[in-house]
Amino acid sequence: MKSVALSIQERSPHGIATGIARLITTGDLAPGDRLPTVRELAAELGVSPATVSHAWQTLSSAGLITSRGRSGSFVRAEPREWLPRRYRGLDGRQDARLDLSRGTPDPDLLPSLGPALARVGARADTASYQAKPDIPELHDLLREMWPAPVESITVLNGALDAIDRALAALVRFGDRVVVENPTFPPFIDLLDHYGLQPVGVELDAEGMRPEAFAAALGATPAIVLLQPRAHNPTGISMTPARAEALAGILDRSRTAQDAIVIEDDHSGAISSSPDVTLATWLPDRVLHVRSFSKSHGPDLRIGAIGGPRPLVDRVVARRLLGPGWTSRMMQAILHELLTHPESTLQVEEARWAYSGRQAALAEAVREAGGWLAGGDGINAWMRVADERAAMVQLAAVGIRVAAGTPFQLGETQEPHIRVTVGALRDDVTTVGAALAVAQNAS
């Protein structure tokens, strides 16, 4: 193991933390390695134990080391083996004064469930295990809300469940899938699970870049997987003009004539951008997924998938051999939340609150000399000079963000961090200044 003290160039708490972070990044300090004690390293560096202790706290907040009491401090091992590989990079278990890493909505902006619970039936009964999986009133409402005319809709347990079931019904081992790069890390884990090969497409401010999309279709993909609004992690929403352009490219492609588009509209009602779907131009080739987790509560675990009847029927038939259906009681609760004036107003207020937070933080970062593009939804994507250094710098002031690496495909990755802007209720100027400093940390 490389000497810790010899690798530290600056003897401030931040300098010590940065030096050790570099050793972890390069692999000179491996997961499970024991670090020198606070007093040992303080003596070697000629600093006070309090200085080293402060550095240790910064590294712990950044998720790089862990304390085992009297046994000492150790480089943190891979978190939670039961988590899929990319999910592990988002495992924010460390305490922080302000956690902007999780990608979850602000609980204070979710609609109250109490009134909806009081209005639904008190029994969780069903007449038949073979009955239609969706309650009629929710099914009809979803059809009215859908962004394009749709043949068939069914309710599932959230967006990722819908995408998982669609892939299971449509792909074979070794198929290629066109996907945005960067993208949502569980998508990459899911593709790995099915033995699929991702083909990444870069984004600009309007969505997938047309020339890159056309090139990716040359790989003869079976699936195109995209996020039309409030893209995670970038916050980009596809414009209707870009959607039409991508639909035209796919329609004219000779190498992707059988490719099916799966759209994950995960932010739904809290997106400040208009509905958009390639199904407007390619109704027979698009499965559109609408989730209500970000807008109405992650623990509801409810969403819907709609598209051509033959494709949706395959999802429904396979699901009957597993969980069968999404709780009809939960469906009734969602219907109440989608129709009651009080809850619809709460969701509308949340949408504008998130939009305001995005704009305010982007402005605060720019005023502090950094750069952050204001996005849609709850997440923003910041380019940094050094990913690890940026996270350590922010951890030193009590702010936790998500590393950009799990979101990116390929061997060559640009350093980024993802910031869950939706969790930022106040202190925007201070956070913006901290992000601007972290952007150039190295």
Side-chain angles (χ1 to χ4, degrees):
M1 182 174 67
K2 192 170 182 179
S3 170
V4 171
L6 292 176
S7 302
I8 295 172
Q9 300 172 353
E10 182 189 340
R11 300 186 179 189
S12 66
H14 177 259
I16 295 170
T18 299
I20 293 176
R22 288 199 188 98
L23 292 176
I24 295 172
T25 300
T26 59
D28 290 308
L29 284 175
D33 280 351
R34 186 180 184 277
L35 297 171
T37 67
V38 168
R39 292 189 178 278
E40 288 171 349
L41 188 56
E44 283 193 70
L45 295 176
V47 299
S48 72
T51 299
V52 177
S53 181
H54 190 173
W56 259 222
Q57 291 171 15
T58 295
L59 290 165
S60 179
S61 295
L64 300 180
I65 70 171
T66 184
S67 173
R68 299 178 189 169
R70 292 187 177 182
S71 297
S73 295
F74 296 79
V75 177
R76 187 180 179 218
E78 284 291 322
R80 306 196 196 194
E81 293 299 325
W82 56 269
L83 285 171
R85 183 170 64 90
R86 297 269 175 163
Y87 251 137
R88 295 175 193 170
L90 305 177
D91 179 31
R93 285 184 293 171
Q94 290 68 42
D95 292 332
R97 175 181 62 83
L98 180 61
D99 192 344
L100 304 179
S101 72
R102 296 182 181 273
T104 51
D106 184 344
D108 288 350
L109 294 179
L110 297 173
S112 174
L113 293 181
L117 291 171
R119 290 190 294 268
V120 301
R123 294 177 179 268
D125 57 357
T126 187
S128 168
Y129 283 101
Q130 290 77 42
K132 288 185 177 181
D134 308 334
I135 62 173
E137 58 268 33
L138 179 60
H139 184 276
D140 293 345
L141 179 62
L142 291 173
R143 187 176 290 277
E144 292 174 11
M145 297 170 57
W146 220 245
V150 62
E151 279 189 349
S152 183
I153 293 175
T154 193
V155 176
L156 295 164
N157 291 357
L160 203 56
D161 179 50
I163 293 164
D164 179 19
R165 296 185 182 282
L167 289 175
L170 297 173
V171 301
R172 297 172 297 180
F173 187 92
D175 279 347
R176 297 182 179 91
V177 176
V178 170
V179 64
E180 296 141 327
N181 188 24
T183 190
F184 185 40
F187 286 177
I188 307 174
D189 283 332
L190 201 53
L191 299 185
D192 287 345
H193 172 76
Y194 285 110
L196 307 176
Q197 300 179 37
V199 181
V201 176
E202 295 178 354
L203 302 156
D204 61 21
E206 297 184 25
M208 282 187 174
R209 290 173 45 211
E211 68 278 11
F213 181 65
L217 294 181
T220 317
I223 299 290
V224 174
L225 177 58
L226 61 85
Q227 303 171 59
R229 296 192 295 175
H231 175 266
N232 186 356
T234 66
I236 291 169
S237 283
M238 185 167 55
T239 63
R242 178 59 55 82
E244 183 176 11
L246 297 181
I249 293 169
L250 181 58
D251 191 40
R252 294 188 297 271
S253 173
R254 295 184 178 181
T255 55
Q257 293 178 342
D258 298 323
I260 299 298
V261 179
I262 302 175
E263 297 174 338
D264 177 15
D265 190 16
H266 50 77
S267 289
I270 63 165
S271 170
S272 56
S273 300
D275 276 332
V276 61
T277 174
L278 272 65
T280 302
W281 302 275
L282 300 173
D284 296 331
R285 300 179 65 179
V286 176
L287 286 169
H288 185 82
V289 176
R290 174 68 58 89
S291 172
F292 300 93
S293 293
K294 299 287 194 305
S295 56
H296 294 78
D299 205 50
L300 289 176
R301 310 312 304 149
I302 195 164
I305 188 169
R309 188 174 301 280
L311 298 183
V312 175
D313 283 351
R314 288 165 68 178
V315 172
V316 172
R318 175 62 185 88
R319 195 176 188 229
L320 283 172
L321 300 177
W325 63 87
T326 295
S327 164
R328 295 183 176 93
M329 178 175 285
M330 200 62 69
Q331 293 184 49
I333 292 170
L334 178 62
H335 180 265
E336 288 292 329
L337 292 173
L338 292 174
T339 55
H340 195 274
E342 181 180 351
S343 54
T344 56
L345 177 60
Q346 289 172 330
V347 172
E348 183 178 352
E349 290 174 343
R351 178 172 66 249
W352 295 118
Y354 290 131
S355 178
R357 292 177 186 183
Q358 285 272 9
L361 183 61
E363 182 180 358
V365 171
R366 290 193 289 265
E367 287 182 352
W371 173 255
L372 178 67
D376 187 12
I378 65 174
N379 295 306
W381 188 237
M382 173 178 268
R383 177 71 184 267
V384 294
D386 183 288
E387 188 174 295
R388 185 81 77 180
M391 294 184 68
V392 170
Q393 172 69 39
L394 289 167
V397 294
I399 300 172
R400 181 174 175 80
V401 296
T405 299
F407 296 85
Q408 300 183 67
L409 298 166
E411 297 297 327
T412 304
Q413 299 178 348
E414 297 179 342
H416 283 82
I417 56 174
R418 188 196 67 177
V419 184
T420 301
V421 181
L424 185 58
R425 300 171 183 171
D426 49 33
D427 208 18
V428 175
T429 301
T430 301
V431 173
L435 287 170
V437 172
Q439 191 164 44
N440 297 310
S442 60

